[in-house]
Coordinates of all heavy atoms in Angstrom, one line a residue:
L1 N -8.5 -5.8 12.5 CA -8.0 -5.5 13.9 C -7.1 -6.5 14.2 O -7.3 -7.8 14.2 CB -9.2 -5.6 14.9 CG -8.9 -5.3 16.3 CD1 -8.2 -4.0 16.6 CD2 -10.2 -5.5 17.2
V2 N -5.9 -6.2 14.8 CA -4.8 -7.1 15.2 C -4.2 -6.5 16.5 O -4.1 -5.3 16.6 CB -3.8 -7.3 14.0 CG1 -3.1 -6.0 13.7 CG2 -2.8 -8.4 14.3
Q3 N -3.7 -7.5 17.2 CA -3.0 -7.1 18.5 C -1.6 -6.6 18.2 O -1.0 -7.1 17.2 CB -3.0 -8.2 19.4 CG -4.4 -8.6 20.0 CD -4.3 -9.7 21.1 OE1 -3.2 -10.3 21.2 NE2 -5.3 -9.6 22.0
P4 N -0.9 -5.8 19.0 CA 0.4 -5.4 18.7 C 1.3 -6.7 18.8 O 1.1 -7.6 19.4 CB 0.8 -4.6 20.0 CG -0.6 -4.0 20.4 CD -1.6 -5.1 20.1
G5 N 2.3 -6.7 17.8 CA 3.0 -7.8 17.5 C 2.5 -8.7 16.5 O 3.3 -9.7 16.0
G6 N 1.3 -8.5 16.1 CA 0.6 -9.5 15.1 C 1.1 -9.1 13.7 O 1.9 -8.1 13.3
S7 N 0.4 -9.8 12.7 CA 0.7 -9.7 11.3 C -0.6 -9.6 10.5 O -1.6 -10.2 10.9 CB 1.5 -10.9 10.8 OG 2.7 -11.0 11.5
L8 N -0.5 -8.9 9.4 CA -1.5 -8.9 8.4 C -0.9 -8.9 7.0 O 0.2 -8.5 6.8 CB -2.4 -7.6 8.5 CG -3.4 -7.7 9.6 CD1 -4.0 -6.2 9.7 CD2 -4.5 -8.7 9.5
R9 N -1.7 -9.4 6.0 CA -1.2 -9.4 4.6 C -2.4 -8.7 3.8 O -3.4 -9.1 3.7 CB -1.0 -10.8 4.1 CG -0.3 -10.7 2.6 CD -0.4 -12.0 2.0 NE 0.5 -12.2 0.9 CZ 0.2 -12.9 -0.2 NH1 -0.8 -13.7 -0.2 NH2 1.1 -13.0 -1.2
L10 N -1.9 -7.5 3.2 CA -2.8 -6.7 2.5 C -2.7 -7.1 1.0 O -1.6 -7.4 0.5 CB -2.6 -5.2 2.6 CG -2.6 -4.7 4.1 CD1 -2.3 -3.2 4.0 CD2 -3.8 -5.1 4.8
S11 N -3.8 -7.0 0.3 CA -3.8 -7.2 -1.2 C -4.4 -6.1 -1.9 O -5.3 -5.4 -1.3 CB -4.5 -8.5 -1.5 OG -4.1 -9.7 -0.9
C12 N -3.9 -5.8 -3.1 CA -4.6 -4.8 -3.9 C -4.7 -5.3 -5.3 O -3.6 -5.5 -6.0 CB -3.7 -3.5 -3.9 SG -4.3 -2.3 -5.1
A13 N -5.9 -5.5 -5.8 CA -6.1 -5.9 -7.2 C -6.3 -4.6 -8.1 O -7.1 -3.7 -7.8 CB -7.3 -6.7 -7.3
A14 N -5.5 -4.5 -9.1 CA -5.4 -3.4 -10.0 C -6.0 -3.7 -11.4 O -5.8 -4.8 -11.8 CB -4.1 -2.8 -10.2
S15 N -6.7 -2.8 -11.9 CA -7.2 -3.0 -13.2 C -7.3 -1.6 -14.0 O -7.2 -0.6 -13.3 CB -8.6 -3.5 -13.3 OG -9.5 -2.7 -12.6
G16 N -7.3 -1.6 -15.3 CA -7.3 -0.4 -16.1 C -5.9 0.2 -16.3 O -5.8 1.3 -16.9
I17 N -4.9 -0.5 -15.8 CA -3.5 -0.1 -16.2 C -2.7 -1.3 -16.8 O -3.2 -2.4 -16.6 CB -2.8 0.4 -14.9 CG1 -2.6 -0.8 -13.8 CG2 -3.5 1.6 -14.4 CD1 -1.9 -0.4 -12.6
I18 N -1.7 -1.0 -17.4 CA -0.7 -2.0 -17.9 C 0.1 -2.3 -16.6 O 1.2 -1.7 -16.5 CB 0.1 -1.6 -19.1 CG1 -0.9 -1.2 -20.2 CG2 1.0 -2.8 -19.6 CD1 -0.2 -0.6 -21.4
F19 N -0.3 -3.3 -15.9 CA 0.3 -3.6 -14.5 C 1.7 -3.9 -14.6 O 2.5 -3.3 -13.9 CB -0.5 -4.8 -14.0 CG -0.2 -5.1 -12.5 CD1 -0.9 -4.4 -11.4 CD2 0.8 -6.0 -12.2 CE1 -0.5 -4.6 -10.1 CE2 1.2 -6.2 -10.8 CZ 0.5 -5.5 -9.8
I20 N 2.1 -4.7 -15.5 CA 3.5 -5.1 -15.6 C 4.5 -4.0 -15.9 O 5.7 -4.0 -15.6 CB 3.6 -6.3 -16.6 CG1 5.0 -7.0 -16.3 CG2 3.5 -5.8 -18.0 CD1 5.0 -8.4 -17.1
L21 N 4.0 -2.9 -16.4 CA 4.9 -1.8 -16.9 C 5.0 -0.7 -15.7 O 5.7 0.3 -16.0 CB 4.4 -1.1 -18.2 CG 4.5 -2.0 -19.4 CD1 4.0 -1.3 -20.6 CD2 5.9 -2.6 -19.7
N22 N 4.2 -0.9 -14.7 CA 4.1 0.2 -13.6 C 4.9 0.0 -12.4 O 4.8 -1.2 -11.9 CB 2.7 0.5 -13.3 CG 2.1 1.4 -14.4 OD1 2.3 2.6 -14.4 ND2 1.3 0.8 -15.4
D23 N 5.5 1.0 -11.8 CA 6.1 0.9 -10.5 C 4.8 1.2 -9.6 O 4.0 2.1 -9.7 CB 7.1 1.9 -10.3 CG 8.3 1.8 -11.2 OD1 8.4 0.6 -11.7 OD2 9.0 2.8 -11.3
L24 N 4.8 0.4 -8.4 CA 3.6 0.4 -7.6 C 3.9 0.8 -6.2 O 5.2 0.7 -5.8 CB 2.9 -0.9 -7.7 CG 2.5 -1.3 -9.0 CD1 2.1 -2.8 -9.0 CD2 1.2 -0.6 -9.4
A25 N 3.0 1.1 -5.3 CA 3.3 1.6 -4.0 C 2.1 1.3 -3.1 O 1.0 1.3 -3.6 CB 3.6 3.0 -4.0
W26 N 2.4 1.2 -1.8 CA 1.4 1.2 -0.8 C 1.6 2.6 0.1 O 2.8 3.0 0.3 CB 1.6 0.1 0.3 CG 1.0 -1.2 -0.3 CD1 1.8 -2.3 -0.9 CD2 -0.3 -1.6 -0.2 NE1 0.8 -3.2 -1.3 CE2 -0.3 -2.9 -0.8 CE3 -1.4 -1.1 0.3 CZ2 -1.6 -3.7 -0.9 CZ3 -2.6 -1.9 0.2 CH2 -2.7 -3.1 -0.4
Y27 N 0.4 3.2 0.4 CA 0.4 4.3 1.2 C -0.5 4.1 2.4 O -1.2 3.2 2.4 CB -0.2 5.5 0.4 CG 0.6 5.9 -0.9 CD1 0.5 5.1 -2.1 CD2 1.5 6.9 -1.0 CE1 1.2 5.3 -3.3 CE2 2.2 7.2 -2.1 CZ 2.0 6.4 -3.2 OH 2.7 6.7 -4.4
R28 N -0.4 4.9 3.3 CA -1.3 4.9 4.5 C -1.7 6.3 5.0 O -0.9 7.2 4.7 CB -0.7 4.1 5.6 CG 0.4 4.6 6.3 CD 1.0 3.6 7.2 NE 2.2 4.1 8.0 CZ 2.8 3.5 8.9 NH1 2.6 2.2 9.1 NH2 3.9 4.0 9.5
Q29 N -2.9 6.4 5.5 CA -3.2 7.6 6.3 C -3.9 7.3 7.5 O -4.9 6.7 7.6 CB -4.3 8.3 5.3 CG -4.7 9.7 5.8 CD -5.4 10.6 4.7 OE1 -6.0 10.0 3.8 NE2 -5.4 11.8 5.0
A30 N -3.2 7.9 8.5 CA -3.6 7.7 9.9 C -4.6 8.9 10.2 O -4.6 9.9 9.6 CB -2.5 7.8 10.9
P31 N -5.5 8.7 11.3 CA -6.4 9.7 11.6 C -5.7 11.0 11.9 O -4.8 11.1 12.6 CB -7.1 9.1 12.9 CG -7.0 7.8 12.7 CD -5.6 7.5 12.0
G32 N -6.1 12.1 11.2 CA -5.6 13.4 11.5 C -4.3 13.7 10.9 O -3.7 14.8 11.1
K33 N -3.8 12.8 10.0 CA -2.5 12.9 9.4 C -2.6 12.9 7.9 O -3.6 12.4 7.4 CB -1.6 11.9 9.9 CG -1.2 12.0 11.4 CD -0.2 11.0 11.8 CE 0.2 11.1 13.3 NZ 1.3 10.2 13.6
Q34 N -1.6 13.3 7.2 CA -1.6 13.3 5.8 C -1.2 11.8 5.3 O -0.6 11.1 6.1 CB -0.5 14.3 5.3 CG -1.0 15.7 5.3 CD -0.2 16.6 4.5 OE1 1.0 16.3 4.2 NE2 -0.7 17.8 4.2
R35 N -1.6 11.5 4.1 CA -1.3 10.3 3.6 C 0.2 10.2 3.4 O 0.9 11.2 2.9 CB -2.0 10.1 2.2 CG -1.9 8.8 1.6 CD -2.8 8.7 0.3 NE -4.1 8.7 0.6 CZ -5.1 9.2 -0.1 NH1 -4.9 9.8 -1.2 NH2 -6.4 9.2 0.3
E36 N 0.8 9.0 3.6 CA 2.3 8.9 3.5 C 2.6 7.6 2.7 O 1.9 6.7 2.8 CB 2.9 8.9 5.0 CG 2.5 7.6 5.7 CD 3.2 7.6 7.1 OE1 4.1 8.5 7.3 OE2 2.9 6.8 7.9
L37 N 3.8 7.7 2.1 CA 4.3 6.5 1.4 C 4.9 5.5 2.4 O 5.6 5.9 3.2 CB 5.4 7.0 0.4 CG 6.0 6.0 -0.5 CD1 4.9 5.4 -1.4 CD2 7.1 6.6 -1.3
V38 N 4.4 4.3 2.1 CA 4.9 3.2 3.0 C 6.0 2.3 2.2 O 7.0 2.1 2.9 CB 3.7 2.3 3.4 CG1 4.2 1.1 4.2 CG2 2.8 3.1 4.2
A39 N 5.6 1.9 1.0 CA 6.6 1.1 0.3 C 6.3 1.2 -1.1 O 5.3 1.4 -1.5 CB 6.4 -0.4 0.8
T40 N 7.5 0.9 -1.9 CA 7.3 0.9 -3.3 C 8.0 -0.4 -4.0 O 8.9 -1.0 -3.4 CB 8.1 2.1 -4.0 OG1 9.4 2.1 -3.7 CG2 7.5 3.5 -3.5
I41 N 7.5 -0.7 -5.1 CA 8.1 -1.8 -5.9 C 8.1 -1.5 -7.3 O 7.1 -1.1 -7.9 CB 7.3 -3.2 -5.6 CG1 8.1 -4.3 -6.3 CG2 5.9 -3.1 -6.0 CD1 7.6 -5.7 -5.7
T42 N 9.3 -1.6 -7.9 CA 9.3 -1.2 -9.3 C 8.9 -2.4 -10.3 O 8.7 -3.5 -9.8 CB 10.8 -0.9 -9.7 OG1 11.6 -2.0 -9.7 CG2 11.3 0.2 -8.8

């Protein structure tokens, strides 16, 4: 929980893939909405 104007840093630990060879992404899903793409990194 953060106030408007605040900051957070999310982390995602991955396993079971060859991490260095994969393009990765963050997605989000708000209540009542479809999951959407937020950011990608090749």
Side-chain angles (χ1 to χ4, degrees):
L1 173 63
V2 63
Q3 292 188 341
S7 298
L8 284 173
R9 189 191 193 208
L10 307 183
S11 300
C12 172
S15 59
I17 60 172
I18 304 175
F19 188 87
I20 197 169
L21 294 182
N22 278 281
D23 300 341
L24 301 163
W26 281 96
Y27 301 79
R28 67 185 181 186
Q29 186 166 20
K33 295 187 177 181
Q34 289 194 337
R35 189 175 288 149
E36 63 177 356
L37 179 65
V38 174
T40 64
I41 185 165
T42 69

